[in-house]
Amino acid sequence: MILDKFSLKGKVAIVTGSNTGLGQGICKAFVEAGAKVAGVSRRPSTETEQMLGEDFYNIIADLSTCDVIPEIIEKTVAKFGRVDILVNNAGIIKRQDSIEFSEENWDSVINVNLKTVFFLTQAVGKQFIKQHSGGKIINIASMLSYQGGIRVPSYTASKSAIRGVTMTLANEWAKYGVNVNGIAPGYMATNNTEALRQDGERSADILARIPAGRWGTPEDIEGAAVFLASEASDYVNGFTIAVDGGWLAR
Ligand code: NAP
């Protein structure tokens, strides 16, 4: 039956940035779909833990360095026995005019949004191959995987690159039964966009351009995340799906 293909029963997912925002929503959706979730966060995911109980396991790790990667895999396998799904959701943004953009604002964003994402994905890819199981990778991209943005050059660079890397890995790993796809959220009401939403003029401009007429929410991302994590998307590979209230169609 078609709805059975969306089930994540028996699957184990790693979701980064599990304490808040889109990551928390994805953890909730995966557990509702039947999965066990290892949520990675630099601060305790207390609220997510309370929401999801024993189907959720919190791993504390700062993803600004790749040193934490082996521990993330080891702890997930020790707790839940395997890995079937990885969602690279954790991400940061730094806003500054490009003419003055600092090296720190460049490096910090590229490290979390791109470098650690690639090497965590590589480690999970090795685990999939070891398990002979195939698997699903979902990279959380952005409108700025498709557009330039303003005052966020390192964010745009990281999110454009992650869309490209999604295609590269899909090409290389399809032979192992691994799907690598992305989700490009539109403008979502989370901590990531708090500064933007507080800027009256920018906020009104953005809202006026969203065909749906509202900011997105973590719930809006859940359907696409479960689809890309499940058997229902087995023939979808290398693509970054926009969940944007129609923004890119404008
Ligand atoms: P958010 O509420 O700020 O969540 C970002 C998550 O990443 C938080 O859990 C954050 O932890 C975590 N994180 C950041 N740096 C980390 C590090 N060094 N180590 C471990 N975890 C780290 O924003 P969000 O909107 O849910 O963002 C989730 C993803 O969606 C990001 O990749 C973002 O770029 C992308 N996105 C968001 C929007 C939007 O409109 N909101 C649009 C397009 C794409 P802390 O809470 O400790 O900071």
Side-chain angles (χ1 to χ4, degrees):
M1 293 289 282
I2 182 63
L3 287 183
D4 296 337
K5 293 195 170 188
F6 289 81
S7 170
L8 301 182
K9 203 165 184 328
K11 302 290 183 188
V12 175
I14 297 174
V15 178
T16 65
S18 55
N19 57 307
T20 187
L22 305 184
Q24 186 180 60
I26 292 167
C27 291
K28 181 176 84 60
F30 280 6
V31 167
E32 283 174 8
K36 308 270 188 215
V37 176
V40 181
S41 55
R42 59 182 165 180
R43 296 181 289 134
S45 295
T46 312
E47 198 181 75
T48 315
E49 222 157 32
Q50 281 165 359
M51 208 187 279
L52 303 178
E54 61 186 23
D55 292 328
F56 179 83
Y57 171 58
N58 192 198
I59 298 169
I60 301 292
D62 184 340
L63 298 167
S64 58
T65 154
C66 290
D67 300 348
V68 296
I69 290 171
E71 191 189 335
I72 293 171
I73 312 286
E74 279 158 26
K75 285 187 168 170
T76 305
V77 173
K79 177 72 180 173
F80 292 133
R82 54 188 291 110
V83 186
D84 302 290
I85 301 157
L86 167 67
V87 182
N88 287 306
N89 164 78
I92 55 172
I93 189 164
K94 299 286 181 188
R95 298 175 195 281
Q96 188 179 15
D97 290 343
S98 291
I99 198 75
E100 284 163 1
F101 207 79
S102 68
E103 199 172 338
E104 197 209 330
N105 281 348
W106 183 269
D107 288 342
S108 59
V109 171
I110 296 294
N111 280 340
V112 176
N113 293 13
L114 184 60
K115 185 175 176 186
T116 305
V117 167
F118 176 77
F119 285 104
L120 177 58
T121 304
Q122 183 191 63
V124 169
K126 285 180 179 166
Q127 178 67 24
F128 289 164
I129 291 167
K130 194 164 114 188
Q131 292 172 183
H132 301 287
S133 61
K136 305 277 188 177
I137 309 279
I138 303 170
N139 293 321
I140 302 302
S142 168
M143 294 295 90
L144 302 190
S145 305
Y146 293 93
Q147 302 178 318
I150 299 167
R151 304 184 70 245
V152 287
S154 58
Y155 187 80
T156 303
S158 71
K159 295 298 186 176
S160 298
I162 211 60
R163 179 169 161 242
V165 169
T166 296
M167 294 189 277
T168 302
L169 296 178
N171 291 336
E172 289 192 39
W173 293 356
K175 62 176 180 261
Y176 302 118
V178 177
N179 297 65
V180 187
N181 290 293
I183 297 175
Y187 285 85
M188 319 299 277
T190 65
N191 298 339
N192 174 290
T193 52
E194 199 175 338
L196 205 52
R197 281 177 290 121
Q198 276 169 8
D199 177 339
E201 201 177 324
R202 283 278 288 131
S203 174
D205 283 353
I206 287 166
L207 200 54
R209 196 189 177 283
I210 303 173
R214 64 171 178 85
W215 288 70
T217 66
E219 291 77 54
D220 287 314
I221 224 84
E222 293 178 4
V226 170
F227 169 62
L228 290 178
S230 73
E231 196 192 328
S233 62
D234 276 356
Y235 204 60
V236 180
N237 213 353
F239 200 69
T240 296
I241 298 175
V243 179
D244 65 348
W247 174 276
L248 284 184
R250 193 69 175 242

